[in-house]
């Protein structure tokens, strides 16, 4: 009887030690929920959500410190995905947070004085150029976050809306005229 | 002739309206004064223009090069002068303008030197290289660049299928092509077989085209290609449906026919390939059916870039009561925005519509879940479910019902008793999903770049700190650092000791102070003593100055 208890106690102790060791050894460094939320956010890094970038916002959501409807670039689709992921109700975009049309920053290359301030501001390194040289923006990489507008001392950066072209055109949601005549006469 | 015919699910038997346009031989369209050649006539990236306004070009001259792997070259349809490179109307459901090269024809129609190839003696890889810049694309409507489809994939191609089914109503361009130019089509198919290394070559033709079947069979005689006559049922000309009809194999969802060792090309593509190889002529023209509510319906061989309005005029013009133009067939086509748009590689048919031929679709009623759409679907989807979710904009759910496998054939819309334009919803949902994918991709890129950016800032901060640290220590080294260096301190002490010793030695070497007033006898005695000492090798005193000693010694010896 006593030996049985001792054996069980020994096994319990051994397993406890293994579990404790595993906990330390295989520690999950990052919160996987933050990664999942971050994956949904559009990565524009614009800070319109009130956080200094998408990941900080993701972290705040994961800590239940921020609502899911604060990101304008993510739009309704983004909120829906967040609601699905977190198992909460969908809610429309927060007050005064209308999504802007997708745009891209353009530098007026005649005015640029090469101060590099915009390079430092751009969160995705979309601006190329070096000190005292004209800068340009790589349109393919620019997320349209507008963070480079404010630092420019000569106001030579402006945003241009990206217009639809044959390549990016989407089929419209089918809408049909409402017929005034009663059904059956057509 | 023992090829068994298999079947595919669903399908339709719409009125085929082929007789309107298939009675007349293909007519060559005359030159027009002005051509608009769009740079995006194919699936994938638009081509990059290499000509500018003011340049003169010749027929067949390369005017735009492929941009990226999935892209195709564009060539001048005739000789003349480039007057503009800019946005112009194109035949696209969006009605948007697209970048085009506008050429004013000089009427001489001079061609560049074209190089025919002896393809039978050429290595497939070498031949493929020649083809990459010929601008060939699938002419059945998908306009996928052909050189990509002719390149070897991960799996060897066993069977090459030539698609001559032409199942959509009204369209007859492939029918006429096979009747009139069967030999050329088959030679093109043999070149394809050579390039792909395919064992079997099958030609699928619907049984409503007996003349085309006869011509193709005659062209195949003696060779080891087979014509397979398939029953007329829309959409037998869908690539996956034709594969199923001819081989009994179903292409799995999300896969391509090449994943089961089968490649499919349209007969018109084979014909274009034959011209590219045997005549060295790039793709600058195609056969287009003009039919419907026009005076002289028929098939025309048209230079790419010809405005559609010119082509309609060639067919005798629209009849009174015409209501518009359809590009492609009535099931898969789209409404043309303006007839100023040009004929491009993907335009196989222009149908002039009228209220009689195409009565307006009755107003849509709610879905009754009758299931007719599912019965008609050749891909065995559940159209009413996909419709429900697409209508609610729940795209993920629509996707879960295999929306991606929908070939947009329109069978479901055609049979729906509630007249719901189902395909319109699928097209909407599909392009929305594609846009989302693009956005997702952009977000991924932005995340990577942002991570890199943050890392760079971190690194720069670290490097700056290190640099500052190094500068500070350099300043210190010049002074105080020596004090706490034990080695330097030891050396310094040794040096000081040595200096001190030298000073003491000098003092010692100086003559004693009480020798000033000696008598000559005393002086002589001292000198004698000194001499003896020197002789004994003792030198002067305890430590005579080193520089004095040799002289003394030399004097005394
Ligand atoms: S508003 Fe959206 S895109 Fe902008 S930083 Fe916040 S999460 Fe990122
Ligand atoms: S270039 Fe300007 S708008 Fe574009 S991503 Fe950089 S900071 Fe944002
Ligand atoms: S055919 Fe039309 S009404 Fe019938 S189930 Fe399909 S969508 Fe609904
Ligand atoms: S359009 Fe799509 S869903 Fe409708 S019948 Fe064709 S494949 Fe099926």
């Amino acid at each position: 009887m006593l030996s049985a208890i001792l054996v069980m106690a020994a096994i319990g102790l051994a397993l406890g030690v293994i579990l404790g060791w595993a906990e330390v050894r295989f520690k999950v460094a990052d919160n996987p929920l933050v990664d999942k939320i971050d994956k949904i956010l559009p990565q524009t890094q614009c800070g319109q959500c009130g956080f200094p970038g998408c990941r900080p916002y993701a972290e705040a959501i994961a800590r239940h410190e921020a609502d899911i409807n604060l990101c304008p670039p993510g739009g309704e689709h983004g909120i829906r995905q967040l609601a699905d992921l977190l198992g909460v109700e969908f809610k429309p975009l927060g007050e005064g947070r209308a999504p802007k049309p997708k745009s891209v920053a353009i530098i007026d290359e005649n005015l640029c004085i090469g101060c590099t301030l915009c390079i430092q501001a751009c969160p995705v390194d979309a601006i190329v150029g070096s000190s005292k040289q004209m800068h340009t923006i790589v349109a393919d990489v620019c997320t349209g976050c507008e963070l480079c507008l404010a630092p420019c001392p000569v106001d030579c950066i402006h945003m241009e809306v990206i217009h639809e072209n044959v390549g990016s055109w989407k089929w419209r949601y089918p809408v049909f005229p409402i017929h005034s005549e009663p059904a059956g006469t057509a | 002739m023992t090829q068994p015919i298999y079947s595919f699910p669903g399908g339709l038997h719409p009125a085929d309206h082929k007789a309107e346009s298939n009675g007349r031989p293909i007519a060559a369209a005359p030159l027009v004064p002005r051509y608009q050649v769009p740079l995006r006539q194919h699936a994938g990236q638009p081509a990059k223009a290499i000509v500018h306004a003011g340049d003169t070009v010749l027929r067949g001259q390369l005017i735009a090069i492929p941009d990226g792997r999935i892209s195709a070259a564009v060539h001048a349809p005739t000789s003349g002068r480039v007057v503009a490179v800019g946005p112009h109307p194109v035949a696209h459901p969006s009605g948007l303008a697209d970048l085009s090269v506008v050429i004013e024809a000089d009427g001489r129609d001079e061609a560049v030197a074209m190089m025919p190839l002896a393809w039978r003696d050429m290595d497939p890889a070498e031949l493929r290289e020649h083809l990459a810049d010929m601008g060939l694309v699938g002419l059945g409507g998908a306009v996928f660049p052909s050189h990509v489809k002719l390149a070897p994939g991960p799996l060897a191609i066993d069977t090459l299928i030539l698609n001559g089914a032409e199942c959509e109503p009204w369209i007859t361009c492939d029918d006429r092509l096979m009747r009139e130019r069967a030999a050329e089509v088959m030679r093109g198919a043999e070149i394809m077989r050579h390039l792909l290394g395919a064992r079997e070559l099958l030609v699928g033709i619907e049984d409503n085209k007996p003349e085309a079947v006869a011509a193709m069979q005659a062209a195949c005689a003696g060779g080891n290609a087979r014509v397979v006559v398939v029953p007329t049922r829309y959409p037998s000309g869908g690539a996956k449906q034709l594969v199923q009809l001819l081989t009994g194999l179903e292409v799995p969802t999300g896969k391509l026919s090449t994943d089961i060792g089968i490649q499919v090309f349209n007969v018109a593509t084979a014909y274009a390939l034959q011209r590219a190889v045997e005549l060295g002529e790039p793709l600058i023209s195609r056969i287009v059916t003009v039919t419907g509510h026009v005076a002289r319906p028929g098939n025309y061989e048209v230079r790419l870039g010809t405005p559609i309005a010119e082509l309609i005029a060639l067919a005798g013009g629209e009849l009174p009561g015409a209501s518009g133009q359809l590009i492609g067939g009535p099931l898969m086509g789209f409404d043309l925005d303006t007839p100023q748009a040009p004929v491009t590689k993907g335009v196989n048919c222009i149908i002039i519509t009228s209220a009689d031929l195409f009565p307006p679709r009755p107003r849509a009623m709610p879905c009754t879940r009758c299931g007719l759409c599912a019965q008609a679907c050749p891909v065995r989807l559940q159209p009413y479910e996909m419709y429900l979710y697409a209508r609610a904009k729940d795209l993920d759910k629509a996707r879960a019902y295999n929306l991606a496998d929908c070939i947009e054939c329109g069978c479901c819309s055609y049979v729906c008793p509630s007249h719901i334009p189902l395909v319109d919803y699928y097209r909407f949902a599909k392009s929305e999903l594609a846009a989302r994918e693009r956005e997702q991709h952009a977000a991924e890129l932005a995340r990577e770049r942002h991570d890199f950016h943050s890392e760079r800032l971190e690194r720069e901060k670290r490097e700056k700190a290190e640099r500052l640290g190094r500068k500070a220590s350099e300043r210190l080294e010049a002074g105080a650092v020596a004090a706490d260096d034990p080695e330097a301190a030891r050396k310094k002490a040794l040096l000081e000791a040595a200096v001190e010793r030298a000073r003491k030695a000098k003092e010692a070497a100086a003559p004693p102070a009480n020798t000033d007033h000696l008598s000559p006898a005393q002086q002589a005695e001292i000198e004698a003593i000194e001499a003896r000492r020197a002789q004994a090798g003792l030198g002067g005193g305890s430590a005579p100055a080193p520089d004095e000693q040799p002289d003394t010694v030399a004097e005394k010896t």
Side-chain angles (χ1 to χ4, degrees), chain B residues 5-347:
Chain B
I5 312 283
Y6 303 91
S7 183
F8 64 88
L12 302 174
H13 293 98
D16 74 0
H17 292 287
K18 303 273 192 191
E20 280 88 336
S21 59
N22 71 2
R24 263 182 263 227
I26 300 166
L31 288 183
V32 294
R34 220 176 138 91
Y35 291 85
Q36 304 154 24
V37 190
L39 300 179
R40 189 198 311 260
Q41 303 189 38
H42 46 262
Q45 285 286 91
K48 269 207 296 244
I50 54 169
V51 290
H52 307 278
D55 291 359
T56 52
V57 291
L58 298 175
R59 166 159 58 91
Q61 183 179 331
L62 190 66
I63 55 173
I65 52 170
D67 184 13
R69 201 178 74 86
I70 314 284
S71 185
V74 177
H75 301 79
T78 186
S79 62
R81 203 167 56 88
V82 176
V83 291
V85 180
H88 280 271
V90 290
H92 190 266
S94 66
L96 292 169
D98 205 8
L99 212 57
S100 313
V101 176
V102 182
I103 298 171
E104 227 168 52
D106 59 13
R108 288 197 293 274
D109 201 23
E110 276 173 89
V112 288
M114 293 181 183
M115 187 177 57
L117 300 172
W119 59 271
R120 276 176 214 278
D121 309 326
M122 284 173 77
D123 183 58
E126 202 186 334
L127 189 52
R128 226 173 273 126
E129 226 161 84
H130 280 282
L131 287 178
D133 273 344
M134 284 298 195
L136 295 176
V137 303
L139 296 178
V143 288
F144 194 82
S146 299
H147 65 273
V148 182
K149 274 174 81 179
L150 287 166
L155 198 70
I157 299 296
D158 177 70
T159 307
L160 169 63
I161 292 179
L162 218 50
N163 187 346
E166 199 166 58
C167 58
E168 199 159 355
W170 295 98
I171 310 175
T172 59
C173 53
D174 290 348
D175 182 5
R176 282 311 317 187
L177 176 74
M178 288 187 285
R179 289 194 207 185
E180 296 177 34
R181 303 175 192 177
E184 287 87 346
V185 171
M186 285 316 295
R187 286 215 297 280
E190 287 298 342
I191 301 171
M192 286 173 170
R193 167 142 72 172
H194 177 65
L195 282 169
L196 291 168
R199 183 181 56 82
E200 201 167 23
L201 171 51
L202 301 173
V203 186
I205 308 175
E206 274 191 346
D207 60 8
N208 62 355
K209 293 182 262 298
E211 296 91 343
V213 170
M216 291 296 280
Q217 270 169 346
C220 289
N224 56 351
R226 259 202 327 269
V227 174
V228 185
V229 181
V230 300
T232 298
R233 180 155 56 104
Y234 181 83
S236 65
K240 293 182 178 179
Q241 282 64 42
L242 194 63
V243 166
Q244 218 172 339
L245 277 170
L246 265 47
T247 65
L249 298 172
E250 192 172 348
V251 179
T253 163
K255 294 267 166 90
L256 302 168
S257 67
T258 47
D259 293 327
I260 53 171
I262 300 172
Q263 186 62 283
V264 186
F265 281 98
N266 187 269
V267 285
T269 314
Y271 176 72
L273 178 69
Q274 180 268 333
R275 288 185 80 88
V277 173
E278 294 191 344
L279 305 177
E281 184 193 86
L283 184 59
I284 54 169
S285 66
R286 68 156 299 145
I287 298 165
V288 184
T289 304
V290 185
T291 185
H293 206 54
V294 286
R296 280 194 303 278
N299 285 286
Y300 298 87
E301 189 160 23
V302 192
R303 298 282 170 88
L304 301 173
T306 305
I308 286 170
E310 301 264 6
L311 194 56
I312 295 172
L314 194 63
E318 297 178 352
L319 295 173
S323 57
Q325 302 93 16
L326 261 179
I327 297 294
L331 284 139
M332 296 186 72
F334 58 90
D335 287 315
L336 184 63
D337 220 54
T338 160
Q340 289 317 311
V343 169
T344 51
K345 295 175 183 177
V347 174

Side-chain angles (χ1 to χ4, degrees), chain B residues 366-374 383-384 387 412 415-420 422:
Chain B
C367 169
T368 59
R369 298 227 153 197
C370 65
L372 286 179
C373 50
Y384 49 88
Y387 155 66
C412 50
V415 298
C416 176
S418 292
H419 309 297
I420 301 169
L422 296 160

